Amino acid sequence: MLKEIELKPGQNLEINIETTNRPPPSEIASDQRRQPQPTGGEVKGVVLSPDGKPASGAHVALQVPGKYLLQLGKATLYPANERDGLVALADTDGSFTLPMYEGANSVVALNDDGFVQVSLEELKISSQMQLRRWGQIEGTLEIKQRPRTNEIITVDSANYGTSHLNFDTEAFQTKTDDQGRFFINYVPPGYVRASRILPTDSKSRLFYPLGPVEVKPGETATVTFGINGRTIVGNVKFAEADVQIAFTNVMASIHTPTKSRKFKTPEGFRSVTESEEYQKTIRDSRSYLVRLGPDGSFRAEDIPAGQYDFDAQFRQTPNNNS
């Protein structure tokens, strides 16, 4: 965190942020994590459709953090690597077998009828996984009490922790019509986070969080997002006068304050991050990416009143001039 800021209702805020030089990459410990390996065991279960019948042909995948990226699309999965047998199709009786890997935490199954994700602990209690019907979201986007047309809206999982599942942004996005309305289908039941995508140039875009949405199986969630925030104008600079940096390669964010926590065991991490209290905190949090100009200046629009932290990640190492 570089600075803590408070934006009061009705206030536009201008801030200056000073930071000190960062150590070169050689002085920063890199994360050399070993990829999860197969344990020699198996994960078995049976996928049932929402009506209780065997879900023949359903896609089933083992969620293994650090092994490969598993993304959810519209009634489909996008695994980065199927060579290790981590994705399979359910048999005619709905049964499946997957290889067990270190760190695996859950199994995901889906077809055109529905979606389900269960932890391995739950699968040990009952080998049956019953799909829950896809939901839908219909909503309206208003900015300063006026409908906004042609705005890009997307949704992603609002649940975080070891079993977090990424959504394919391109699949789960749409544009508002001339009355600010939007519609997204094939949304998995549970909480999702809606965001507004703001293109900045030909190669990048910013995500503006709109809020959490609870989607119930087989139902349509109706929401209205009203944006009536303020503007934060600021400037980031180094305290050392001889430090230079390409600020255009720096990504900064304004976000709800968070408390850093240390966990002694993976079990301790899971017990906290998968608790309902923690999940609600994450759902209610807000984070706004901001693009820095060449001189370190930035301007963040439509930020709701509240208390925020300002962070910046430097993608290039500062060069000291002799």
Side-chain angles (χ1 to χ4, degrees):
M1 181 182 73
L2 293 180
K3 192 169 187 177
E4 185 177 285
I5 56 179
E6 182 177 4
L7 182 63
K8 298 179 180 179
Q11 176 190 26
N12 288 339
L13 188 63
E14 183 171 349
I15 59 175
N16 283 301
I17 299 172
E18 288 192 3
T19 184
T20 57
N21 195 0
R22 297 287 182 91
S26 60
E27 298 179 23
I28 302 176
S30 60
D31 189 1
Q32 302 288 344
R33 293 183 180 177
R34 183 176 64 90
Q35 275 216 339
Q37 299 297 313
T39 65
E42 293 180 329
V43 178
K44 296 184 177 182
V46 177
V47 184
L48 303 178
S49 61
D51 61 7
K53 297 179 180 179
S56 175
H59 282 82
V60 188
L62 186 67
Q63 178 81 320
V64 188
K67 176 61 179 176
Y68 69 133
L69 179 62
L70 185 64
Q71 283 189 311
L72 176 66
K74 291 288 188 73
T76 189
L77 290 170
Y78 300 131
N81 184 356
E82 296 185 24
R83 292 176 298 176
D84 297 322
L86 296 175
V87 180
L89 296 179
D91 209 337
T92 54
D93 60 354
S95 64
F96 66 88
T97 300
L98 296 167
M100 183 61 182
Y101 268 74
E102 299 170 342
N105 55 54
S106 66
V107 175
V108 179
L110 60 80
N111 62 13
D112 287 340
D113 295 327
F115 168 92
V116 67
Q117 181 178 15
V118 302
S119 67
L120 294 185
E121 288 76 13
E122 293 174 308
L123 202 61
K124 291 177 182 178
I125 298 173
S126 174
S127 62
Q128 293 186 337
M129 302 172 55
Q130 187 163 8
L131 300 175
R132 304 165 72 200
R133 296 193 183 279
W134 300 104
Q136 304 175 140
I137 299 176
E138 61 178 20
T140 303
L141 175 64
E142 298 177 352
I143 298 181
K144 293 179 171 55
Q145 281 101 38
R146 293 187 178 183
R148 284 296 293 260
T149 183
N150 209 37
E151 292 280 350
I152 304 175
I153 307 296
T154 188
V155 295
D156 194 5
S157 174
N159 297 318
Y160 289 85
T162 57
S163 58
H164 172 73
L165 181 64
N166 292 288
F167 285 28
D168 176 32
T169 302
E170 302 299 327
F172 288 98
Q173 71 176 12
T174 187
K175 286 187 176 182
T176 57
D177 63 14
D178 57 359
Q179 298 183 49
R181 298 174 303 191
F182 62 91
F183 177 81
I184 301 177
N185 58 6
Y186 284 101
V187 182
Y191 280 98
V192 297
R193 181 190 298 272
S195 299
R196 170 185 171 214
I197 298 179
L198 305 175
T200 58
D201 52 45
S202 59
K203 295 183 180 180
S204 64
R205 52 190 181 175
L206 300 178
F207 286 74
Y208 182 105
L210 296 173
V213 181
E214 184 179 10
V215 180
K216 296 182 179 180
E219 297 185 14
T220 299
T222 304
V223 295
T224 298
F225 293 115
I227 300 176
N228 193 27
R230 296 294 173 174
T231 301
I232 298 178
V233 178
N235 190 276
V236 178
K237 61 181 180 180
F238 281 93
E240 295 87 346
D242 60 347
V243 173
Q244 295 181 353
I245 190 169
F247 281 107
T248 53
N249 292 325
V250 173
M251 183 59 71
S253 67
I254 297 169
H255 60 85
T256 305
T258 56
K259 294 181 179 180
S260 60
R261 305 183 65 168
K262 294 183 179 180
F263 302 93
K264 296 182 178 179
T265 64
E267 292 74 19
F269 174 77
R270 286 195 297 268
S271 66
V272 172
T273 59
E274 295 181 3
S275 67
E276 178 55 32
E277 179 184 2
Y278 180 86
Q279 294 296 332
K280 185 179 185 306
T281 299
I282 293 298
R283 290 196 295 267
D284 294 339
S285 66
R286 298 186 296 270
S287 180
Y288 307 91
L289 294 177
V290 293
R291 177 69 67 182
L292 300 183
D295 60 351
S297 63
F298 66 89
R299 182 183 183 89
E301 304 280 356
D302 300 318
I303 306 299
Q307 192 172 24
Y308 298 93
D309 289 345
F310 182 93
D311 284 327
Q313 290 187 344
F314 299 87
R315 298 178 180 174
Q316 287 190 354
T317 303
N319 294 319
N320 293 329
N321 295 330
S322 56

